[in-house]
Amino acid sequence: MSTRVLVTGGTGLVGSAIRHVIQTTEKRNDEEWIFVGSKDGDLTDLQSTRELFEKYKPNKVIHLAAMVGGLFYNMNNNLDFLRKNMLINDNVLLVCHEINVNKVVSCLSTCIFPDKTTYPIDETMVHNGLPHDSNFGYSYAKRLIDVLNRGYFEQHNRLYTSIVPCNIYGPNDNFNPTASHVIPGMIHRLYNIINDNTVDTPQEERVFTVWGSGKPLRQFIYSLDLAKLAVWTLREYDSVSPIILSVDEADEVTIEFVARSIAKAFDFKGRIEFDTTKADGQHKKTASNTKLRSYRPDFQFTKFEEAIKYTVDWYLQNQDKVRK
Ligand code: NAP
Ligand code: GDP
């Protein structure tokens, strides 16, 4: 019997990247892939979730659908992040069990780990201590996926597992600065500064303002790299325990470096300044990819500045369909 894979959140940043890799480098003829977004069914609603899964009858699922956003969106919407994501995750895993889906890969994040912790963070630390105040809603909802996975394994012997990506960016991201993560938010804000025709200021005198001090550290993974690893997880990884999918610790960069790389990709000639009245969030979330490297020692991540350039070029060439 061929494998039928349903991808929830299939219209988003990660879902669209998976769609791309399974049509190209990761293509297999014995798999059928179906990608669904919120227009196909509202996963916060149990009945709608049942109808969607009954319609496609998958035997494997990559579950990406979630309320997602950057630091500032999280800070203003903790309750919604908690409630929507708890509902989506509970409905999806329950219905997967009901219709006998034999493998589910759900998505956590390195931003759900304890705020006060030792570094590097690893997979054993998901439930260790309080998450950062800025995103407690999202964090607890995501941590509960791991609790659900353990429960489905212990009571029903299901192989429902999770991946833990670091900060993701790439084509089809959400570029709306109010809701977005740092990279798409900066790309959109800088584009608007460069293309602001309401002022005569030459570009050399224009200012790109980084929110916060620029000093926090982050690991970033290009969506196409994550997509390949997510497909590998579905096909090969056979443990219920989460697996961190992140670039190496040595590839962690400052937010200032991110801003400078984006400015370079746009060939921006103005100044970069820092608005320190805005929040920095957690200083760092350095995660270890030792477990991933034990399975995939030779996996090549796309170089950061190269992938930033691809993302900026995609943004410039797809203005008609950019989420902003
Ligand atoms: P995204 O681009 O915002 O996409 C979210 C997806 O979820 C969209 O396909 C959206 O559908 C769908 N969705 C949202 N609410 C839904 C609902 N009520 N019912 C059905 N579908 C719904 O997000 P992403 O960045 O690809 O994130 C994918 C996964 O990675 C998420 O689980 C996220 O928590 C995790 N993650 C993301 C990051 C990051 O930096 N982006 C980092 C770590 C982990 P429509 O677009 O059709 O509305
Ligand atoms: P996080 O990695 O989960 O904290 O979320 P983000 O992707 O939103 O990154 C937040 C970090 O980037 C914080 O240190 C912010 O101060 C900084 N930052 C700088 N400029 C921006 C921006 O335009 N948007 C966002 N979301 N964060 C920014």
Side-chain angles (χ1 to χ4, degrees), residues 215-252:
K215 293 191 179 5
L217 293 156
R218 294 288 184 273
Q219 286 156 299
F220 292 97
I221 186 167
Y222 186 44
S223 58
L224 277 304
D225 294 344
L226 177 66
K228 289 178 191 163
L229 292 172
V231 170
W232 166 81
T233 308
L234 185 81
R235 289 173 179 162
E236 311 285 345
Y237 181 71
D238 60 2
S239 164
V240 173
S241 304
I243 180 164
I244 291 174
L245 302 184
S246 170
V247 298
D248 301 329
E249 288 162 59
D251 293 326
E252 189 172 53

Side-chain angles (χ1 to χ4, degrees), residues 70-72 111 167 177 180-182 185-186 189 210-212 216 218 255 279-281 285:
L71 170 65
F72 298 93
C111 67
N167 201 315
S180 74
H181 284 92
V182 54
M186 280 185 176
R189 291 195 298 110
V210 175
W211 294 349
R218 294 288 184 273
I255 296 297
D280 266 350
K285 317 172 181 208

Side-chain angles (χ1 to χ4, degrees), residues 309-322:
K309 181 78 178 117
Y310 295 149
T311 307
V312 168
D313 288 348
W314 181 90
Y315 173 86
L316 291 172
Q317 285 156 18
N318 291 276
Q319 282 294 306
D320 52 326
K321 63 172 179 181
V322 166

Side-chain angles (χ1 to χ4, degrees), residues 120-187:
I121 290 160
D122 70 38
E123 291 85 352
T124 65
M125 298 174 169
V126 171
H127 304 285
N128 271 6
L130 296 180
H132 194 264
D133 276 344
S134 58
N135 66 351
F136 67 87
Y138 179 78
S139 300
Y140 281 114
K142 288 288 185 185
R143 287 180 184 193
L144 281 176
I145 290 180
D146 181 55
V147 179
L148 286 164
N149 287 345
R150 279 173 52 191
Y152 279 108
F153 178 69
E154 286 182 18
Q155 278 188 237
H156 302 293
N157 204 28
R158 294 289 187 202
L159 181 47
Y160 295 173
T161 188
S162 60
I163 54 175
V164 189
C166 56
N167 201 315
I168 311 159
Y169 65 103
N172 298 298
D173 207 342
N174 179 2
F175 289 81
N176 177 332
T178 314
S180 74
H181 284 92
V182 54
I183 289 178
M186 280 185 176
I187 289 176

